[in-house]
């Protein structure tokens, strides 16, 4: 059997074949075996195959099966010089784009007349005659791999790639900074990693739940995730997890990545606090406007009605009666006006000067001022002051606060019961808590808690109650960063608490 | 004789409104209440007696103890027991549009009047 012409022709043909270094010989050592070559076939034209006539009687051009990822394949029969069909040569183009002219590799088909076999030998560039091209291809691939990995590793986000069973295929240093841990995790899941790192398994549970959500829905999910860093600070990530499918619609990969949005989160929280502050200021303003509209307009209406009656009336006795009614209206208008102006000034006077004020002096002065009322009601005022009670505060605010609370306790005493008022201070680090307890009327907090410190709210039938006092007190306390609250039982008494933020160095 | 409940804590306004009502030369029985709670207690006592129930309620909004809004809430839950058709007018010195809007949430409110109460308006309401 003469094989030489086959060898010669095939060699001639394959010499011009460009192939990747992966061009390989399929097991099989005779004409009947199938030779599958991963080749670049740019030089194989229909015309060339025709010139190979004696060997190649026909070539089937066509689209290759998808799983081989070929552009096309060539199938042609190999025959002996006697025309007997001895096998098929299939040339499959897999990676034409990877190859350049420098990587040209020749294949040689060697026929062995003794064993009647054809051996396909890969020869790295027959014309240059060494292994340098194979090496350079490998190097090029490595270089490209390093290039892309470098990009993924340097991205300031954490990236994790999972297989369809939630096992890690890749993580970048953004996700796991230590290389040792990164190496460990490949091929494992979060449960194994939690055990390895001796971490709470709850994280693995929640990540598995997210993974299954993506797998089942087939859709990307996003969520925010807050964890503590080693310094104990909250770190918030915006995480995204999305599925990647192959051409058959099978889940191939799930890719997750997270961006650190801690700064944005802090900003958002600041904004939310600001919006809340503004909205509370706004509702205070609405209350304020409505009280101004009511409290100033009410006496004006009365005055105008009185003046109308006076001018229409001819009876001097009646006129005198009407004129006598004008005085309390004008007084009321005057008081209301002053109180409104005062409360506006508290809000505007942000630069008000603080001084070191002695709380016990302040309480003593207030008691002196209220002495006639204290004597009239036979009231007893006890003080339990802790430490020196020096507080850094605007003196006029402090006087006004203490005066308001004590005079309220006297004003709303329980009829027939001698008022007992206990003023107490408690000094904590940077805080002083003042409490004023009485045995007076008390207030139904179930009904009134929401309105308690609102302007214009009055809870008892008292001729001088206008609902300004506690509103002012609250304003004066809050303007300096403190807070006020109340506990009360109707008919038993109330305790008002004020927490002052104390910035005094002398505070004890 | 028609009867009026005047619920307002401002004694001068009550005094003046009485004078305006008197000036209509119609005879009305006027009951005064200094706040919503006092008026509500009275209504609870007489709700089944049409002869004692008023024809008209004039209700101020800003009052101690129980203000006009709290009164309205309680009044609406009492209303099924009240055996008389009563016209209820809010009479406020406030000119705030928010309060007018808010009053629309109460079906028992006939109208929102702004102080002062004019003679002609009283005649129109009481006729």
């Amino acid at each position: 059997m003469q094989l030489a012409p086959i060898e010669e022709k095939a060699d001639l043909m394959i010499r011009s074949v460009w192939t990747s270094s992966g061009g390989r010989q399929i097991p099989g050592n005779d004409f009947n075996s199938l030779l599958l070559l991963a080749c670049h076939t740019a030089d194989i034209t229909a015309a060339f195959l025709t010139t190979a006539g004696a060997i190649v009687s026909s070539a089937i051009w066509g689209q290759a099966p998808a799983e081989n990822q070929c552009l096309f394949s060539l199938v042609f029969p190999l025959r002996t010089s006697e025309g007997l069909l001895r096998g098929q040569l299939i040339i499959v183009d897999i990676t034409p784009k990877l190859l350049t002219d420098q990587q040209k590799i020749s294949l040689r088909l060697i026929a062995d007349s003794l064993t009647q076999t054809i051996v396909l030998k890969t020869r790295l560039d027959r014309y240059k005659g060494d292994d340098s091209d194979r090496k350079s291809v490998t190097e090029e691939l490595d270089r490209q791999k390093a290039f892309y990995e470098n990009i993924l590793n340097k991205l300031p986000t954490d990236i994790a790639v999972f297989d369809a069973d939630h096992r890690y295929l890749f993580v970048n240093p953004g996700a796991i900074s230590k290389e040792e841990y990164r190496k460990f995790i490949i091929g494992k899941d979060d449960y194994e990693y939690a055990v390895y790192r001796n971490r709470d398994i709850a994280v693995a549970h929640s990540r598995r739940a997210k993974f299954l959500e993506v797998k089942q829905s087939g859709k990307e999910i996003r969520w925010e995730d807050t964890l503590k860093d080693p310094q104990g600070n909250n770190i918030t990530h915006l995480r995204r997890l999305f599925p990647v499918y192959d051409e058959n619609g099978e889940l191939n990969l799930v890719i997750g990545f997270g961006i650190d949005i801690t700064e944005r989160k802090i900003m958002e929280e600041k904004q939310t606090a600001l919006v809340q502050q503004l909205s509370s200021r706004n509702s205070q303003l609405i209350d304020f406007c409505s009280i101004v509209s009511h409290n100033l307009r009410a006496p004006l209406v009365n005055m105008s009605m009185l003046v109308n009656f006076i001018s229409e009336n001819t009876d001097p006795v009646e006129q005198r009666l009407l004129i006598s009614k004008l005085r309390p209206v004008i007084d009321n208008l005057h008081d209301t006006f002053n109180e409104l102006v005062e409360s506006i000034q508290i809000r505007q006077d942000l630069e008000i000067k603080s001084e070191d004020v002695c709380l016990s002096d302040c309480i003593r002065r207030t008691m002196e001022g209220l002495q006639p009322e204290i004597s009239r009601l036979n009231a007893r005022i006890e003080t339990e002051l802790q430490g020196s009670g020096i507080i850094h505060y605007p003196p006029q605010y402090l006087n006004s606060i203490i005066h308001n609370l004590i005079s309220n306790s006297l004003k709303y005493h329980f009829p027939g019961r001698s008022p007992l008022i206990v003023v107490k201070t408690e000094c904590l680090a940077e805080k002083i808590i003042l409490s004023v307890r009485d045995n007076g009327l008390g207030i139904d907090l179930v009904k009134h808690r929401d309105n308690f410190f609102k302007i214009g709210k009055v809870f008892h039938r008292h001729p001088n109650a206008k609902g300004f006092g506690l509103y002012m007190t609250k304003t004066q306390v809050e303007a300096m960063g403190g807070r006020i609250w109340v506990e009360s039982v109707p008919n038993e008494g109330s305790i008002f608490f004020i927490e002052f933020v104390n910035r005094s160095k002398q505070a004890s | 004789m028609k009867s009026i409940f005047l619920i307002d804590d401002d004694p001068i306004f009550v005094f003046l409104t009485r004078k305006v009502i008197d000036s209509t030369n119609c005879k009305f029985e006027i009951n005064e209440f200094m706040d919503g709670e006092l008026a509500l207690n009275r209504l609870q006592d007489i709700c089944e007696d049409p002869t004692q129930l008023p024809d008209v309620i004039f209700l101020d909004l800003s009052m101690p103890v129980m203000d006009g809004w709290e009164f309205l809430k309680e009044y609406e839950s009492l209303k099924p027991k009240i055996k008389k058709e009563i016209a209820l007018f809010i009479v406020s010195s406030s000119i705030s549009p928010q309060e007018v809007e808010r009053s629309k949430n109460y079906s028992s409110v006939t109208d929102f009047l702004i102080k002062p109460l004019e003679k002609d308006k009283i005649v129109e309401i009481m006729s």
Side-chain angles (χ1 to χ4, degrees), chain A residues 250-477:
Chain A
E250 295 291 323
L251 182 66
N252 197 1
L253 303 170
V254 173
I255 300 176
F257 71 91
I259 303 167
D260 187 339
I261 55 163
T262 307
E263 275 180 32
R264 198 178 86 191
K265 205 71 199 162
I266 291 169
M267 281 296 257
E268 270 176 19
E269 276 160 15
K270 277 187 188 161
Q271 275 176 344
T272 310
L274 204 63
V275 167
Q276 270 172 356
Q277 204 182 340
L278 283 175
S279 107
S280 113
R281 280 286 155 84
N282 194 40
S283 78
Q284 279 175 356
L285 194 67
I286 291 170
D287 286 347
F288 193 81
C289 287
S290 102
I291 220 72
V292 168
S293 140
H294 181 271
N295 288 29
L296 291 181
R297 202 173 170 275
L300 283 172
V301 166
N302 286 344
M303 280 162 76
S304 113
M305 285 175 84
L306 279 165
V307 169
N308 283 347
F309 276 118
I310 291 166
S311 59
E312 284 165 9
N313 211 304
T314 48
D315 179 0
V317 180
E318 183 78 2
Q319 277 187 334
R320 269 201 296 280
L321 171 74
L322 290 166
I323 290 169
S324 75
K325 298 271 182 197
L326 266 177
R327 174 50 55 194
V329 178
I330 292 168
D331 287 348
N332 175 295
L333 183 60
H334 210 126
D335 290 350
T336 306
F337 180 80
N338 285 343
E339 280 160 343
L340 286 171
V341 168
E342 198 184 332
S343 68
I344 291 172
Q345 277 171 344
I346 296 171
R347 296 198 173 279
Q348 287 183 338
D349 200 356
L350 296 173
E351 297 293 307
I352 189 157
K353 278 238 165 70
S354 292
E355 293 170 21
D356 280 352
V357 193
C358 177
L359 262 177
S360 54
D361 283 355
C362 184
I363 293 163
R364 189 175 41 77
R365 274 199 306 277
T366 303
M367 282 162 64
E368 280 166 14
L370 291 167
Q371 200 50 54
E373 195 63 4
I374 293 171
S375 305
R376 190 179 69 80
L377 295 168
N378 193 25
R380 204 166 83 231
I381 302 187
E382 293 175 1
T383 52
E384 295 174 24
L385 307 180
Q386 197 187 64
S388 71
I390 301 285
I391 177 168
H392 198 66
Y393 215 76
Q396 61 269 50
Y397 284 9
L398 197 66
N399 286 332
S400 159
I401 290 166
I402 289 172
H403 185 275
N404 252 331
L405 291 181
I406 296 180
S407 67
N408 268 354
S409 287
L410 292 170
K411 201 190 228 176
Y412 302 109
H413 66 274
F414 195 88
R417 195 192 286 163
S418 294
L420 171 65
I421 302 168
V422 181
V423 183
K424 209 171 151 180
T425 59
E426 198 183 337
C427 298
L428 309 168
E430 298 188 346
K431 273 181 195 167
I432 293 182
I433 296 182
L434 169 81
S435 63
V436 177
R437 189 178 81 218
D438 66 43
N439 60 346
L441 289 169
I443 303 130
D444 186 351
L445 290 176
V446 177
K447 268 192 195 166
H448 298 300
R449 189 176 286 283
D450 292 346
N451 293 328
F452 203 82
F453 294 99
K454 274 197 178 171
I455 191 168
K457 289 291 168 191
V458 176
F459 309 103
H460 300 103
R461 296 182 183 103
H462 194 283
N464 295 326
K466 284 202 288 285
F468 269 110
L470 284 176
Y471 170 75
M472 291 277 281
T473 301
K474 182 176 160 73
T475 310
Q476 287 166 330
V477 169

Side-chain angles (χ1 to χ4, degrees), chain A residues 131-192:
Chain A
D131 280 351
S132 64
D133 278 7
R134 178 191 281 270
K135 212 170 155 193
S136 77
V137 167
T138 311
E139 276 169 9
E140 173 64 17
L141 285 173
D142 285 348
R143 207 175 56 75
Q144 288 190 3
K145 185 168 173 258
F147 175 75
Y148 291 117
E149 270 192 7
N150 191 33
I151 292 175
L152 288 174
N153 288 345
K154 293 284 162 60
L155 279 177
T157 63
D158 37 9
I159 301 170
V161 182
F162 305 94
D163 68 10
D165 297 318
H166 200 201
R167 280 186 297 261
Y168 283 83
L169 295 173
F170 173 81
V171 277
N172 76 342
I176 297 176
S177 55
K178 244 187 166 172
E179 197 183 351
E180 178 194 341
Y181 302 155
R182 275 206 306 283
K183 278 189 177 154
F184 170 83
I185 209 166
I186 301 305
K188 305 203 175 58
D189 65 13
D190 281 309
Y191 290 94
E192 290 164 287

